[in-house]
Amino acid sequence: MNASPAAAQLLAEVKFDAQGLVTAVAQQHDTGEVLMVAWMNRDAITETLASGRVCYFSRSRAALWRKGETSGQVQHLKELRIDCDGDTVLLLVHQEGVACHTGRRNCFFRAVRAGSLVEIAAPLVSSEALYGEHTDG
Amino acid sequence: MNASPAAAQLLAEVKFDAQGLVTAVAQQHDTGEVLMVAWMNRDAITETLASGRVCYFSRSRAALWRKGETSGQVQHLKELRIDCDGDTVLLLVHQEGVACHTGRRNCFFRAVRAGSLVEIAAPLVSSEALYGEHTDG
């Protein structure tokens, strides 16, 4: 896929690591909820800007990861930002359903509270309903 | 520094990379603003939980980076969370002043809008007022 002028301008500012990847933080655009953190490569950024749906790069599968392609839990891109040194992308999105492969709305459901690590959110949907969703692990 | 029981319990769940680092996202606890993304190692997490002030690991300086130590732009920890696969930490903080070494409130001040990459926030303080602040670059 050819990068649009905006994508080309953006990609020139992104500092990819030795594996050609950049950290990507997905945030629900209206509530501010941090949904998940994953990775993108050049093609993932280009496709995301072109399609308006977030596409990551899965390190475990070494392939583009079109979020929600099989599960329906897609992320609609509202805005893409990069940080001061260009090594992180912030994706403002609208998340359909749940972001986490465990069935929780976001991946950050374990917190240190009152001296121990506790779960602070329960799954909203079963993992069976999330066919094809996975972590980037 | 010895890890507290809560820190030890947390550290057992964190999947550090080959360099002993984990991605850390700092978010203003009450507004949801994503302030910055940096890295932490085992000692940085232990110190942050013990002191209540966020300490990162600077890859460029290969040393602990006590955020705001010289500039005063410290981050007070409100809560620390980890994600489903343990490779990202979410820091809910109260940011004193500005998070970004450019003098902006957060590091994500460049966005793709209307077909080009534009600056969407101006510095609030001069870089001279931020002595010792730096990127993780």
Side-chain angles (χ1 to χ4, degrees):
Chain A
M1 185 182 295
N2 290 324
S4 66
Q9 189 187 6
L10 174 77
L11 289 169
E13 297 293 323
V14 175
K15 292 198 182 69
F16 294 98
D17 69 11
Q19 285 73 48
L21 302 177
V22 64
T23 306
V25 179
Q27 181 179 35
Q28 176 67 30
H29 72 104
D30 48 1
T31 65
E33 180 182 10
V34 175
L35 297 165
M36 58 180 284
V37 172
W39 297 86
M40 299 177 93
N41 67 357
R42 193 169 285 269
D43 288 347
I45 291 176
T46 301
E47 176 170 320
T48 296
L49 285 172
S51 71
R53 287 192 180 191
V54 177
C55 174
Y56 298 103
F57 183 83
S58 168
R59 293 176 299 177
S60 56
R61 301 194 293 191
L64 290 179
W65 169 23
R66 294 176 180 91
K67 176 70 178 165
E69 189 175 38
T70 54
S71 69
Q73 317 294 307
V74 302
Q75 295 176 338
H76 303 278
L77 184 70
K78 298 293 184 178
E79 185 162 285
L80 189 153
R81 300 180 187 166
I82 56 172
D83 73 349
C84 52
D85 57 359
D87 66 358
T88 307
V89 168
L90 179 63
L91 304 163
L92 301 178
V93 305
H94 174 65
Q95 171 72 56
E96 299 268 5
V98 300
C100 186
H101 77 292
T102 65
R104 292 170 177 88
R105 173 72 182 172
N106 74 64
C107 297
F108 296 93
F109 57 85
R110 295 181 290 172
V112 177
R113 289 186 181 173
S116 66
L117 186 66
V118 295
E119 285 199 9
I120 59 171
L124 301 177
V125 297
S126 71
S127 57
E128 289 74 20
L130 296 174
Y131 176 76
E133 280 297 319
H134 63 100
T135 74
D136 182 46
Chain B
M1 186 181 297
N2 289 325
S4 66
Q9 190 186 5
L10 174 78
L11 289 169
E13 297 293 321
V14 175
K15 293 198 181 68
F16 294 98
D17 68 12
Q19 284 73 48
L21 302 178
V22 65
T23 305
V25 178
Q27 180 179 36
Q28 175 67 29
H29 72 104
D30 48 1
T31 66
E33 180 182 12
V34 175
L35 297 165
M36 59 182 282
V37 172
W39 298 86
M40 299 178 93
N41 66 0
R42 193 169 284 269
D43 287 347
I45 290 175
T46 302
E47 176 168 322
T48 296
L49 285 172
S51 71
R53 288 193 180 189
V54 177
C55 173
Y56 299 102
F57 183 82
S58 169
R59 294 176 299 177
S60 56
R61 301 194 292 191
L64 290 178
W65 168 22
R66 295 178 179 91
K67 176 70 177 167
E69 188 175 37
T70 54
S71 69
Q73 317 294 307
V74 302
Q75 294 177 338
H76 303 278
L77 184 70
K78 297 293 184 179
E79 186 162 286
L80 189 152
R81 300 180 186 165
I82 58 171
D83 72 351
C84 52
D85 57 358
D87 66 357
T88 307
V89 167
L90 178 63
L91 305 162
L92 301 178
V93 305
H94 174 64
Q95 171 72 56
E96 298 267 5
V98 299
C100 186
H101 77 291
T102 66
R104 292 170 177 88
R105 174 72 182 171
N106 72 66
C107 296
F108 296 93
F109 57 84
R110 293 181 292 171
V112 177
R113 289 186 180 174
S116 66
L117 186 66
V118 294
E119 285 199 10
I120 60 172
L124 301 177
V125 298
S126 71
S127 57
E128 289 76 17
L130 296 173
Y131 176 75
E133 280 298 319
H134 64 99
T135 75
D136 183 47

